[in-house]
Amino acid sequence: MNKQYIFVWEPAASKDRPVYNTFVKLINEKNLTGSFEVIRSPFIGFTTDGPIARVMPDGAIYTKFKAEDAGAIIDAHVKGGRLEKFLLSYDNKFLPVKEKDNTSKQFKIVLRNIGYLDPESIDEYIMRGGYKALEKALFVLDGEKVIAEMKTSGLRGRGGAGFPTGLKWELTRKEKNDIKYVICNADEGDPGAFMNRSVMEGNPHSVIEGLMIAARAIGADQTFVYVRAEYPLAVERMKRAVADAEREGILGNDVFGTGLTLKCDVMEG
């Protein structure tokens, strides 16, 4: 049997993570660690249906179950089946959307890998093309060419004003200062807003890569991620992602062996 991944999301009130811990305990007890891996999932949108378990790669999503039902869910997938009692979806509706899929209403770009890779694994991010854009920015393009590509893309800020990203980077690059910073404001103060939280919890390396490309464009060597303390999983995963990127030579004093310095600090609000 190919390895299956169980992504588990629990409401914030479940601070002791009973469902996640039960899945982990049962898989160890059943000697299924070679067949299943349990991963704490980012929020995927069903606020009233928690807890949620998504089994990949087959795409089964279970909701509104209890910790004691975890064993039945595991057993169903050991046998290649599904537990219909708690099954919400079992089709392509929630599977990764192809970029050329013009029929889907869920055309995902930033969120396309969330829930489908282990957010605590830098290797999985790299296997899905992670840090390739940074590599291009470092070895193929210079700062001005990166900005030119951003202008061509038409990317705009998502904070409400819609300011063109390429123009913002260009204006910052032209500023005559010896020290420049790139800051990711992930405080997300709007009630019920989870865009930044979802990315940090589900794909933290994409945040780091974006910051580093911006730093390359404007001539900065220091970046910051400002995260609200009410997002403990986001803080934890961002800090781990930074540490893993430093270990691999992607962040630090000699990025990709170029001699360039690019650093990232995670700050809690």
Side-chain angles (χ1 to χ4, degrees):
M1 179 176 75
N2 293 328
K3 191 164 187 176
Q4 300 187 71
Y5 297 86
I6 304 176
F7 291 84
V8 178
W9 177 83
E10 297 176 74
S14 306
K15 292 184 179 180
D16 55 349
R17 305 196 297 270
V19 176
Y20 170 82
N21 291 329
T22 300
F23 271 109
V24 172
K25 179 175 180 289
L26 290 174
I27 284 172
N28 286 325
E29 290 177 351
K30 294 172 180 284
N31 295 316
L32 292 171
T33 54
S35 302
F36 288 90
E37 182 174 344
V38 186
I39 299 169
R40 281 184 290 161
S41 173
F43 172 72
I44 61 172
F46 308 110
T47 51
T48 61
D49 294 337
I52 299 166
R54 172 160 42 186
V55 184
M56 296 298 292
D58 63 357
I61 296 179
Y62 299 100
T63 64
K64 297 181 179 179
F65 60 91
K66 297 180 180 179
E68 53 262 36
D69 300 311
I73 292 174
I74 293 170
D75 291 341
H77 285 269
V78 167
K79 299 172 184 177
R82 304 182 296 279
L83 187 62
E84 301 288 342
K85 183 177 180 181
F86 304 106
L87 189 67
L88 172 69
S89 175
Y90 188 77
D91 55 27
N92 291 331
K93 183 177 180 182
F94 298 104
L95 296 181
V97 178
K98 297 178 181 178
E99 290 188 7
K100 293 184 178 179
D101 181 4
N102 297 322
T103 63
S104 174
K105 293 182 179 179
Q106 295 196 31
F107 185 83
K108 295 182 180 179
I109 299 175
V110 175
L111 304 177
R112 66 184 178 275
N113 284 323
I114 291 178
Y116 302 102
L117 55 70
D118 181 353
E120 298 185 356
S121 171
I122 190 172
D123 293 331
E124 285 200 22
Y125 181 68
I126 291 172
M127 284 190 293
R128 288 175 176 263
Y131 292 114
K132 281 291 185 183
L134 173 62
E135 190 176 6
K136 181 180 179 181
L138 291 173
F139 293 103
V140 180
L141 308 174
D142 58 19
E144 291 183 355
K145 290 180 180 177
V146 170
I147 291 172
E149 288 219 357
M150 293 303 297
K151 285 185 169 182
T152 301
S153 75
L155 185 67
R156 291 175 175 268
R158 300 294 299 277
F163 196 89
T165 303
L167 178 57
K168 181 183 292 185
W169 289 8
E170 182 179 53
L171 294 172
T172 310
R173 181 178 177 82
K174 290 179 178 179
E175 282 293 319
K176 304 298 182 183
N177 287 288
D178 294 332
I179 300 176
K180 296 178 182 179
Y181 302 102
V182 180
I183 301 173
C184 170
N185 178 10
D187 177 70
E188 203 163 57
D190 298 332
F194 294 110
M195 302 86 69
N196 298 338
R197 176 183 174 183
S198 294
V199 176
M200 291 184 294
E201 291 183 359
N203 197 3
H205 285 282
S206 66
V207 178
I208 294 172
E209 185 170 18
L211 284 169
M212 295 179 74
I213 292 171
R216 167 68 164 166
I218 71 169
D221 58 18
Q222 176 68 59
T223 69
F224 296 93
V225 181
Y226 173 65
V227 192
R228 59 170 45 205
E230 293 89 343
Y231 292 171
L233 183 58
V235 173
E236 174 189 330
R237 286 190 169 156
M238 282 306 311
K239 287 184 176 180
R240 175 169 180 157
V242 167
D244 288 346
E246 289 174 342
R247 186 192 68 237
E248 297 296 332
I250 294 170
L251 277 171
N253 295 323
D254 188 20
V255 176
F256 281 114
T258 61
L260 292 173
T261 296
L262 282 173
K263 296 183 178 181
C264 181
D265 290 329
V266 179
M267 314 296 291
E268 290 184 55

Short mmCIF file of all heavy atoms in Angstrom, two decimals, residues 119 124 183 247:
data_model
loop_
_atom_site.label_atom_id
_atom_site.label_comp_id
_atom_site.label_asym_id
_atom_site.label_seq_id
_atom_site.Cartn_x
_atom_site.Cartn_y
_atom_site.Cartn_z
N PRO A 119 3.70 20.76 5.71
CA PRO A 119 4.24 22.10 5.88
C PRO A 119 5.51 22.14 6.72
O PRO A 119 6.20 23.15 6.75
CB PRO A 119 3.09 22.86 6.56
CG PRO A 119 2.28 21.81 7.22
CD PRO A 119 2.38 20.60 6.35
N GLU A 124 9.66 18.36 0.89
CA GLU A 124 8.44 18.30 0.09
C GLU A 124 8.21 19.60 -0.66
O GLU A 124 7.75 19.60 -1.81
CB GLU A 124 7.23 17.96 0.97
CG GLU A 124 7.19 16.51 1.41
CD GLU A 124 5.80 16.08 1.86
OE1 GLU A 124 4.81 16.73 1.46
OE2 GLU A 124 5.72 15.09 2.59
N ILE A 183 9.41 43.52 5.25
CA ILE A 183 8.59 43.08 6.37
C ILE A 183 7.30 42.45 5.86
O ILE A 183 6.58 43.05 5.07
CB ILE A 183 8.25 44.25 7.31
CG1 ILE A 183 9.53 44.90 7.84
CG2 ILE A 183 7.37 43.78 8.46
CD1 ILE A 183 9.28 46.17 8.62
N ARG A 247 19.58 25.79 7.65
CA ARG A 247 20.36 24.54 7.64
C ARG A 247 20.75 24.12 6.23
O ARG A 247 21.85 23.60 6.00
CB ARG A 247 19.54 23.42 8.30
CG ARG A 247 20.30 22.12 8.48
CD ARG A 247 19.38 20.98 8.86
NE ARG A 247 18.50 20.61 7.78
CZ ARG A 247 17.18 20.59 7.85
NH1 ARG A 247 16.56 20.95 8.96
NH2 ARG A 247 16.44 20.23 6.81
#
